[in-house]
Amino acid sequence: MVRAEGVRKRFGRLEVLRGIDLEVGSGQVLCIIGPSGSGKSTFLRCINHLEKVDGGRLSVAGHLVGYRHQGGKLYELRDREVCARRAEIGMVFQHFNLFPHMTALDNVTIGPVRVKGEDRSTAAARARQLLERVGLGDKVDAYPRQLSGGQQQRVAIARALGMEPKLMLFDEPTSALDPELVGEVLDVMRSLALDGMTMIVVTHEIGFAREVGDTLVFMDRGLIVESGPPKQVLANPAEMRTRAFLSRIL
């Protein structure tokens, strides 16, 4: 589903990604851990072309992200083409990013209507089902300010699912939540994994990574330092840098 080959990204003099190579199969869950500034979030943003890569290639479902290959060269896609590809990739951010002037139902409905041209009644019916799925069937008319952080994040997940994505990206989805609200968001993510959704999750929730992840990647300074089955990496990391990081958070 996802293939990264030598992906590089820099901001001015700072090279944030220094050659990322990885693959994620359809239906798999990849969890990424690492210290702040290691390039985890930047890599996620590159996957849906919110950031343009400076080197290497990224593909999702067999299609290059943001580019087309022709005559041995890469050409950047038009904005409309980029948006069409991006619609197939759901992304859940750390700080929810809900529209504050819209109800939960409207937040979930607007994407399919505006981007995909769906009939509003059809999109709203599916939005109600998705809000029910994330445990918020009784909050369809609530505004973000009336919801807890955990509830807002579950609306954000429903909103991403409303676009019927092939891939879901989670950028530290629980880090802005009070500890007692983390579990309700992780439960929704577990159910998505059980349903076979392909997911890439940047997280500090080590228990979730151990339980749900198929692969655990440890990143540092723009590189993948170590990857493997979560239980193996967490119990017996091969790299000294991984061991040092885990010793501070476990």
Side-chain angles (χ1 to χ4, degrees):
M1 180 63 76
V2 180
R3 175 176 291 170
E5 301 171 275
V7 172
R8 295 180 176 272
K9 175 66 184 177
R10 66 169 57 248
F11 297 104
R13 293 184 179 182
L14 179 63
E15 192 171 22
V16 180
L17 300 177
R18 298 163 55 200
I20 301 296
D21 296 290
L22 61 77
E23 291 187 2
V24 183
S26 180
Q28 291 187 335
V29 178
L30 172 74
C31 294
I32 304 177
I33 62 172
S36 297
S38 59
K40 308 182 301 294
S41 295
T42 298
F43 178 61
L44 277 196
R45 293 174 64 84
C46 287
I47 291 175
N48 63 3
H49 208 57
L50 290 175
E51 299 288 353
K52 299 178 183 179
V53 301
D54 295 316
R57 297 188 182 192
L58 263 171
S59 61
V60 175
H63 298 287
L64 288 173
V65 174
Y67 299 89
R68 59 183 170 86
H69 188 268
Q70 183 174 331
K73 295 182 179 180
L74 291 180
Y75 297 90
E76 190 167 6
L77 298 176
R78 300 185 186 92
D79 287 345
R80 184 170 61 182
E81 295 172 301
V82 171
C83 288
R85 296 275 180 86
R86 189 179 289 145
E88 299 178 342
I89 304 171
M91 187 160 185
V92 178
F93 299 88
Q94 181 177 346
H95 293 290
F96 324 139
N97 290 10
L98 297 177
F99 296 112
H101 62 291
M102 293 184 179
T103 64
L105 182 66
D106 288 338
N107 263 283
V108 180
T109 302
I110 187 172
V113 172
R114 291 281 185 89
V115 179
K116 300 175 71 174
E118 285 190 11
D119 175 77
R120 181 171 180 81
S121 61
T122 301
R126 190 167 72 252
R128 289 179 183 276
Q129 293 175 348
L130 289 169
L131 287 168
E132 186 72 39
R133 177 179 180 179
V134 300
L136 296 173
D138 60 338
K139 300 293 184 181
V140 293
D141 295 321
Y143 289 88
R145 67 180 180 273
Q146 299 171 314
L147 302 173
S148 70
Q151 290 170 333
Q152 290 185 62
Q153 193 62 295
R154 284 186 279 157
V155 173
I157 293 172
R159 179 180 61 182
L161 293 173
M163 296 296 289
E164 299 181 306
K166 299 176 180 177
L167 167 69
M168 286 284 285
L169 308 177
F170 293 87
D171 188 7
E172 299 189 21
T174 60
S175 62
L177 301 179
D178 293 333
E180 64 269 22
L181 303 178
V182 169
E184 62 192 49
V185 174
L186 294 182
D187 285 345
V188 173
M189 294 170 65
R190 286 187 185 94
S191 74
L192 291 179
L194 287 172
D195 287 346
M197 175 63 73
T198 309
M199 299 161 58
I200 301 180
V201 185
V202 171
T203 186
H204 294 296
E205 300 294 335
I206 300 300
F208 174 85
R210 181 189 291 111
E211 174 191 349
V212 179
D214 295 292
T215 303
L216 180 65
V217 164
F218 171 63
M219 286 183 63
D220 189 29
R221 299 180 183 179
L223 292 169
I224 292 177
V225 176
E226 186 166 353
S227 67
K231 291 179 181 178
Q232 174 184 314
V233 173
L234 293 171
N236 189 29
E239 301 295 329
M240 184 179 299
R241 181 68 188 90
T242 313
R243 292 196 294 271
F245 175 78
L246 292 175
S247 69
R248 293 198 300 270
I249 65 171
L250 293 179

